[in-house]
């Protein structure tokens, strides 16, 4: 049976050298009879989610207008929390590919097994810290009460909209920076106090440093692997790295949960602070559990469209490259969460690590055209989400004033 015909996770060893002349092709599992393939589900997905996004936007406008006029603060707070959890869910299926694309493309794991593993590890990771959440909640200081709730809701809706746009086109943009951009955009539109020092130190600088560090460190790790195992049997080595890559993929998923669930926690805490339900010094347990569950469910919903971009279109991967990329990305995610408390992008980190691993073969092995499209999405994410959030805020404030 040819490589293209073998089901994922069951193909024989290729015997290629550890440099990875051609990585395993990302193939789709054969679906049960009558069930659409994952790719078909991805193509149908936007048709289901766009109406939901429109309904959500309309709900926020109506509830914001009614709430501002009738002072139904509790009802508006509930709507804002629900919207934040919806963002957490979209973050899960949008960024699920970050943790598992490499392990699926190299056939270390089947897509279904990888998604289940990522969902469980996302859940665990979300319970391991709250420092990043505190950083996110300090980005802006919105007005108190109902006006502040509309600012927070507008920021989250801006992030959700950009997530849906980039997911539709299969671009692995950053949900983290979409959220920060949305919150900042709503803050500027509402004349709220924006902590530009936090934005620069905790968001902008890590946005630049983490991909550069990921590329350089992964390149060095991959060079070390090539040197250490230069005399090893390629077939046996490939099998061993597939096992190792299952562990590195789990580590990456844990880091994704640690980073991304906390960002939504920070938004909910910000909403609670504006209504006097929290002092902002701690994250309530129910917020932690709700965000962990929403992210985990979103992850299991899958991210096949983006998975194909990361796993195949940037660089053809083999198990050693996948292991090097995932393990390095995991270390960066843990360090920034526990040491610097910075909400960095898992998307930026893993993508740059994949490029660093591919560059050890030769620079032309990286598909720089696709990489350029991804970088363009990175650059546009914060201003685009900010613009959408500002428009949503103006509409809500206009009708609710």
């Amino acid at each position: 049976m040819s490589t293209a015909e073998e089901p994922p996770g069951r193909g024989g060893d290729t015997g290629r050298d550890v440099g990875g002349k051609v990585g395993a092709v990302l193939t789709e599992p054969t679906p049960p009879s009558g069930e659409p393939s994952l790719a078909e589900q991805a193509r149908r997905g936007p048709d289901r989610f766009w109406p939901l996004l429109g309904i959500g936007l309309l709900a926020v406008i109506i509830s914001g207008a009614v709430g501002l006029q009738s002072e139904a603060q509790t009802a508006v707070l509930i709507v804002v929390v629900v919207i934040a959890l919806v963002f957490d869910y979209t973050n899960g299926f949008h960024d699920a590919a970050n943790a598992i694309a490499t392990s699926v493309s190299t056939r270390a794991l089947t897509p279904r097994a990888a998604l289940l593993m990522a969902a469980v590890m996302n859940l665990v990771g979300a319970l391991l810290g709250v420092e990043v959440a505190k950083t996110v909640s300090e980005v802006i200081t919105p007005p108190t009460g109902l006006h502040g709730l509309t600012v927070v809701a507008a920021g989250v809706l801006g992030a959700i909209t950009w997530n849906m746009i980039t997911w539709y086109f299969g671009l692995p943009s950053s949900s983290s920076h979409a959220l920060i951009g949305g919150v900042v955009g709503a803050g500027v539109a509402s004349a709220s106090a924006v902590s530009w020092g936090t934005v620069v130190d905790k968001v902008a600088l890590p946005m630049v440093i983490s991909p550069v560090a990921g590329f350089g460190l992964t390149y060095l790790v991959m060079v070390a692997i090539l040197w250490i195992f230069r005399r090893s049997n390629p077939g046996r080595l490939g099998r061993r790295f597939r096992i190792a890559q299952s562990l590195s993929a789990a580590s990456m998923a844990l880091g994704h949960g640690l980073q991304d669930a906390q960002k939504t926690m920070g938004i909910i805490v910000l909403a609670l602070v504006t209504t006097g339900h929290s002092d902002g010094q701690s994250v309530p347990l129910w917020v932690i559990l709700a965000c962990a569950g929403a992210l985990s469910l979103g992850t299991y919903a899958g991210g096949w469209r983006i998975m194909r971009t990361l796993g195949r279109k940037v660089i053809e991967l083999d198990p050693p490259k996948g292991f090097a990329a995932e393990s390095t990305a995991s270390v960066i995610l843990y360090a920034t969460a526990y040491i610097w408390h910075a909400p960095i992008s898992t998307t930026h980190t893993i993508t740059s690590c994949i490029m660093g691993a591919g560059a050890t073969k030769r620079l032309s092995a990286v598909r720089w055209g696709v990489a350029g499209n991804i970088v363009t999405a990175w650059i546009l994410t914060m201003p685009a989400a900010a613009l959408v959030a500002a428009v949503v805020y103006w509409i809500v404030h206009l009708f609710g004033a």
Side-chain angles (χ1 to χ4, degrees):
M1 183 180 292
S2 67
T3 300
E5 295 170 343
E6 293 172 356
R10 299 175 61 185
D13 211 297
T14 61
R16 295 182 176 90
D17 62 50
V18 75
K21 294 182 178 178
V22 181
V25 177
L26 181 60
T27 58
E28 299 172 24
T30 302
S33 178
E35 180 181 337
S37 66
L38 285 174
E40 181 61 25
Q41 293 178 43
R43 285 190 289 270
R44 296 177 184 177
D47 295 333
R48 295 194 300 268
F49 283 108
W50 286 119
L52 290 177
L53 181 62
I55 293 172
L57 179 60
L58 183 62
V60 172
I61 293 174
I62 293 175
S63 62
V66 172
L68 285 174
Q69 291 182 349
S70 65
E71 297 190 358
Q73 181 170 282
T74 301
V76 178
L77 175 61
I78 293 173
V79 171
V80 172
V81 171
V82 170
I83 292 172
L85 292 177
V86 169
F87 168 78
D88 207 23
Y89 180 87
T90 65
N91 189 348
F93 74 70
H94 186 275
D95 287 4
N98 299 344
I100 62 177
T102 55
S103 57
V104 172
S105 68
T106 62
R107 302 187 180 189
L109 294 171
T110 64
R112 291 295 185 190
L115 284 170
L116 179 60
M117 177 275 295
V120 172
M121 298 307 290
N122 271 194
L123 180 64
V124 174
L127 303 175
L128 297 182
V130 295
E131 294 302 325
V132 172
K134 293 179 182 178
T135 297
V136 173
S137 67
E138 296 169 355
V139 169
I140 67 170
T141 304
T144 58
L146 291 164
H147 190 188
L149 287 177
T150 60
V151 174
V152 176
V156 178
L157 275 174
I160 292 174
T161 302
W162 186 248
N163 268 359
M164 295 304 302
I165 292 172
T166 53
W167 183 64
Y168 181 86
F169 290 104
L171 293 174
S173 68
S174 169
S175 294
S176 307
H177 295 153
L179 184 60
I180 299 297
V183 171
V184 171
V188 171
S190 63
S192 300
V194 178
S195 178
W196 294 109
T198 300
V199 173
V200 172
D201 295 339
K202 300 292 188 178
V203 180
L205 289 179
M207 180 175 68
V208 176
I209 295 173
S210 58
V212 174
F215 185 96
L217 291 176
T218 306
Y219 183 90
L220 296 176
V221 169
M222 195 61 211
V223 168
I225 290 175
L226 291 171
W227 175 258
I228 294 170
F229 297 102
R230 64 190 184 280
R231 302 185 189 279
S232 300
N233 178 272
R236 186 180 298 116
L237 190 65
R239 289 190 294 270
R240 290 177 178 175
F241 267 102
R242 282 194 178 93
I243 296 174
Q245 199 183 355
S246 299
L247 299 177
S248 64
S251 178
M252 178 68 195
L254 185 72
H256 176 248
L258 176 66
Q259 275 278 345
D260 284 44
Q262 288 193 57
K263 294 155 190 171
T264 306
M265 294 178 202
I267 292 300
I268 295 178
V269 168
L270 188 60
L272 295 175
V273 169
T274 63
T275 56
H277 290 86
S278 173
D279 59 5
Q281 299 303 311
S282 61
V283 180
L285 179 60
W286 69 266
V287 174
I288 296 174
L289 295 177
C291 292
L295 183 70
S296 182
L297 288 174
T299 297
Y300 191 67
W304 190 259
R305 186 182 292 257
I306 295 174
M307 194 190 304
R308 294 175 66 180
T309 299
L310 283 177
R312 181 172 63 185
K313 291 183 180 179
V314 175
I315 175 72
E316 298 289 356
L317 290 170
D318 57 15
K321 288 188 177 69
F323 172 79
E326 290 171 340
S327 57
T328 305
S330 300
V331 170
I332 294 175
L333 291 176
Y334 298 149
T336 51
Y338 285 120
I339 298 175
W340 292 289
H341 309 155
I344 71 164
S345 168
T346 54
T347 306
H348 291 201
T349 304
I350 187 61
T351 306
S352 61
C353 288
I354 290 173
M355 293 178 189
T360 57
K361 180 181 178 181
R362 61 179 184 277
L363 290 178
S364 60
V366 178
R367 297 190 177 101
W368 295 107
V370 176
N373 292 337
I374 293 173
V375 171
T376 300
W378 290 356
I379 295 172
L380 291 177
T381 292
M382 289 188 70
L387 179 60
V388 173
V391 171
V392 171
Y393 168 78
W394 285 325
I395 293 174
V396 173
H397 193 62
L398 175 64
F399 285 96

